[in-house]
Amino acid sequence: MSQDLAAPPEAARKLSGRRRREIVAVLLFSGGPIFESSIPLSVFGIDRQDAGVPRYRLLVCAGEEGPLRTTGGLELTAPYGLEAMSHAGTVVVPAWRSITSPPPAEALDALRRAHEEGARIVGLCTGAFVLAAAGLLDGRPATTHWMYAPTLAKRYPSVHVDPRELFVDDVDVLTSAGTAAGIDLCLHIVRTDHGTEAAGALARRLVVPPRRSGGQERYLDRSLPEEIGADPLAEVVAWALEHLHEQFDVETLAARAYMSRRTFDRRFRTLTGSAPLQWLITQRVLQAQRLLETSDYSVDEVAGRCGFRSPVALRGHFRRQLGSSPAAYRAAYRARRPSGDPVTVGTSSTSSLTEAVPQQMRRAAAASVPGAGGASAAVQPENGRLGSDYVPGRIR
């Protein structure tokens, strides 16, 4: 995902005759945040050939009738309409004004048509909601700002949402996390199109790192998202997060919600997009990660403090979700932690989540969506959304 791996040549899709790979269309809507909107305009719209950056041709297109009002009360007038998208080899949706509002049908039709004709489609931050509404993320891995990931997963259950990555490259459809992660994805696109030197030259001009390690993990918090916070089950979810060190099961949560197990399962899945058992296991594994990173507790002690009935249970779930044993995970984390960064003994702080643990050892997100605090959208083989060879979190 947020690795710099280009799609294999055989994965490239053929563009229709009128589209050109060097043409990038940026789709703007009224109410969109100006920072996210400006990122692709700066990356693809400024001639930097003197610095060794190949030039793109930029088409700024209005996704609806103007003038387009952006944050701060500014009004924009896009020089092109949706019809200009028919020439673009890449279409970027930098952001969407509201995750609760449906995008204009005409814009969704234009995006579907562009994709059918071989264009690469990119959604930055909440732009992923527009791509999902167009059906372009069905059955695909995707990301968005961690705060909105549970909502994306709940609203579009066929999308494999991963809130831990800075961006996801699924060959012809790409998505990024919030704000600055849009720069990471745009640099990745330049690197894919023109190589490392061109992307490095562009990064120097923008005064940003050419590539960032890690993902959104260090920004995740455990507060309840707005949608969950307003639901009666929020109290049960909050209680579970505060008592992960205790041994309890889904029946306990159902009883606290005064529901039968079947009713609780149905309501919980509707609310979070995840089965409660999978959500609970994922939260316990996440807590184990934090303790392994920030404490000197033994693996046995970590298991007890995360509510696992035995160290064997912790090791099994940890390996299934992260592809590593707890001991190996801790060793890799400490080996890569900057020198002088002490381990805080006996703490479970959430502020020092790993930045540089290897990708193959961070697959908890591949199994679920640990969104803004307790909401998870589990990606489970039994729900029919995954094939046996599908590896969430992988650039394909």
Side-chain angles (χ1 to χ4, degrees), residues 328-346:
Y329 178 91
R330 169 178 272 168
Y333 175 78
R334 291 188 175 181
R336 298 173 67 93
R337 190 179 69 247
S339 60
D341 183 10
V343 172
T344 304
V345 179

Side-chain angles (χ1 to χ4, degrees), residues 168-225:
V168 173
D169 179 344
D170 197 39
V171 184
D172 56 339
V173 178
L174 301 87
T175 50
S176 82
T179 313
I183 301 176
D184 296 303
L185 180 50
C186 288
L187 284 173
H188 172 75
I189 290 171
V190 174
R191 186 177 297 109
T192 299
D193 290 349
H194 301 292
T196 301
E197 289 188 11
L202 176 58
R204 287 191 293 274
R205 278 295 183 93
L206 297 175
V207 197
V208 297
R211 64 188 75 187
R212 288 194 290 163
S213 61
Q216 297 189 80
E217 302 100 320
R218 57 193 179 277
Y219 305 114
L220 296 175
D221 70 24
R222 301 176 70 189
S223 59
L224 295 176

Side-chain angles (χ1 to χ4, degrees), residues 216-373:
Q216 297 189 80
E217 302 100 320
R218 57 193 179 277
Y219 305 114
L220 296 175
D221 70 24
R222 301 176 70 189
S223 59
L224 295 176
E226 182 176 347
E227 285 194 10
I228 295 179
D231 190 278
L233 283 186
E235 183 178 346
V236 176
V237 172
W239 181 90
L241 290 171
E242 292 298 322
H243 293 79
L244 287 175
H245 59 284
E246 300 178 11
Q247 291 186 13
F248 61 87
D249 52 21
V250 177
E251 281 75 11
T252 301
L253 298 180
R256 292 189 66 87
Y258 303 101
M259 297 179 184
S260 68
R261 171 64 187 269
R262 177 175 296 184
T263 300
F264 181 78
D265 281 6
R266 183 174 63 252
R267 288 281 296 111
F268 195 94
R269 187 183 291 273
T270 299
L271 179 66
T272 68
S274 170
L277 179 59
Q278 181 61 50
W279 176 86
L280 183 57
I281 292 172
T282 297
Q283 296 304 317
R284 294 194 190 283
V285 170
L286 285 171
Q287 180 71 352
Q289 283 182 268
R290 297 179 184 114
L291 290 178
L292 290 168
E293 294 164 4
T294 62
S295 78
D296 280 331
Y297 293 133
S298 68
V299 172
D300 288 11
E301 289 175 312
V302 168
R305 289 175 178 273
C306 296
F308 288 104
R309 297 185 182 279
S310 70
V312 174
L314 166 62
R315 291 185 179 96
H317 289 300
F318 202 94
R319 183 175 292 279
R320 275 191 290 274
Q321 292 198 20
L322 279 83
S324 167
S325 70
Y329 178 91
R330 169 178 272 168
Y333 175 78
R334 291 188 175 181
R336 298 173 67 93
R337 190 179 69 247
S339 60
D341 183 10
V343 172
T344 304
V345 179
T347 178
S348 59
S349 169
T350 63
S351 63
S352 59
L353 295 180
T354 176
E355 176 177 354
V357 176
Q359 177 74 15
Q360 66 269 25
M361 297 176 65
R362 292 190 286 107
R363 293 180 182 169
S368 69
V369 176

